[in-house]
Amino acid sequence: MTDADERCVCVIDDDDEVRGALASLFRSAGLTALVYESPSAFLEAGLPDCACCLVLDVRLRGESGLDFQDLLAERAIAIPIVMMTGHGDIPMTVRAMRAGAIDFLPKPFGTEDMLAAVLRAIETDRARRATASDSDRLRSAFARLTPREREVMGLVVTGLMNKQVAGRLNLSEITVKIHRGNVMRKMEAQSLADLVRMAEQLGVRDETIHRYGL
Amino acid sequence: MTDADERCVCVIDDDDEVRGALASLFRSAGLTALVYESPSAFLEAGLPDCACCLVLDVRLRGESGLDFQDLLAERAIAIPIVMMTGHGDIPMTVRAMRAGAIDFLPKPFGTEDMLAAVLRAIETDRARRATASDSDRLRSAFARLTPREREVMGLVVTGLMNKQVAGRLNLSEITVKIHRGNVMRKMEAQSLADLVRMAEQLGVRDETIHRYGL
DNA sequence: AAAGGTATCATACGCAGGTATGGGAAAGGT
DNA sequence: ACCTTTCCCATACCTGCGTATGATACCTTT
């Protein structure tokens, strides 16, 4: 198994025994298990760079697992969460699921249920990471454009002709053509259709329409 | 208030009293309430043509509300569901929420909670209907294209030049140009960028790539 | 001061896209 | 039999796009 196939589970629970039991369960299933006794310990450690998920108790010493879930969402940390609890009720479940939890397991739970939930969560993360890395490559290419090139790109993918872009930016048409050519090359777009799809994913068009009132 | 602003709640419950109580609650909030004593009665009546939602008991005579939720999903009936129950547990809640339920209310619930859930569900439906009607206009325009025009559109929005499209379809370039012009006119696309976005929404490109192995 | 990146523009050439005009052929419905 | 639709193609013309060549100017970094 290569590193790229590594699958990892982060467990946050304030009970030593629970942490130990879950860790050995996951390890016996071929997963890497990382255990933390508090949310802050987890945050300080940083996220592992592989398909991973978080197993979280709803009630932690002094902190709510549900609040921590919200905190992760605010910080745009999109790790899938499997929630577990000894004293759960339906409103808690609704809140957790609405916030995007993969599963919500009342204790005591069967080890197969936990394992199934975790595998499901890891698979979700794997898919998310795949699309996120595509999006990242796109974003970094876009970041390498000059400000002018970004402006031209926005107007071009909105459907304006070169001369119209030139008018809006007070440029000559030939200058627009040059910027446009640079954009195609730097973004590695094979065609205008390609560039339009990239722009759509980046939200470039929405931004352009807003800025120029199209 | 015009018809377009009408908001409607469908209640399915086998208990007369519950139906009556919920109906009067919703009506007092300015909503149209339709009550049904079984899922089949609801299906026979057909969906109201306005922003609406479904309030459903998990346990119905002989039928499961959760199974009915799955049935609606299978039939692509995308009405938002507020689930309620007298004997709910966490796994049921997880299943309902995972299947897209807006809320899951254990009985007895506060009337404000129910009303809030229903308003939220109706707002969800309103947004869904708005995007669905856009998509419908697009679909009907696409349906008015001839088979050839659809093929040409697929290849054009994939990024192929006219001569490449001509090669693939064993046509002359001029014929492709004519079809392409017809596509732009019939789809009311103002630019190629426009057409690419329409095609993306319609899933035309995925289909084309699959068919021609691009 | 030199170098490099960014931005601007002109001219010119070739290719791509779009439309108009005109014509031919096959399929399907009235 | 006739009409409509769909599909096909040719010639011609105009517009739009892309790039090469060459030039000027500004700013920042070295």
Side-chain angles (χ1 to χ4, degrees), chain A residues 146 148 171-172 174-175 179:
Chain A
T146 67
R148 242 329 183 220
L171 295 176
S172 74
I174 183 66
T175 304
H179 287 313

Side-chain angles (χ1 to χ4, degrees), chain A residues 68-107:
Chain A
F68 185 59
Q69 185 183 24
D70 291 342
L71 176 71
L72 290 176
E74 268 172 42
R75 298 203 188 168
I77 300 174
I79 184 172
I81 296 176
V82 173
M83 206 69 88
M84 58 182 176
T85 179
H87 315 279
D89 58 20
I90 288 178
M92 274 185 197
T93 312
V94 169
R95 177 175 165 190
M97 295 302 288
R98 207 181 259 168
I102 296 292
D103 210 336
F104 194 99
L105 298 172
K107 292 180 190 170

Side-chain angles (χ1 to χ4, degrees), chain A residues 7-10 26 31 50-55 78-83 100-103 113-129, chain B residues 98:
Chain A
R7 293 174 301 169
C8 167
V9 187
C10 302
F26 296 139
L31 308 175
C50 63
C52 64
C53 76
L54 183 58
V55 173
I79 184 172
I81 296 176
V82 173
M83 206 69 88
I102 296 292
D103 210 336
D113 289 342
M114 173 56 86
L115 202 51
V118 162
L119 291 176
R120 189 184 148 98
I122 288 176
E123 176 53 28
T124 300
D125 196 50
R126 205 199 46 70
R128 188 193 60 77
R129 289 170 72 88
Chain B
R98 207 181 260 169

Side-chain angles (χ1 to χ4, degrees), chain B residues 146-148 170-172 174-175 178-179:
Chain B
T146 67
R148 245 325 186 225
N170 274 312
L171 296 175
S172 73
I174 183 67
T175 303
I178 292 169
H179 286 312

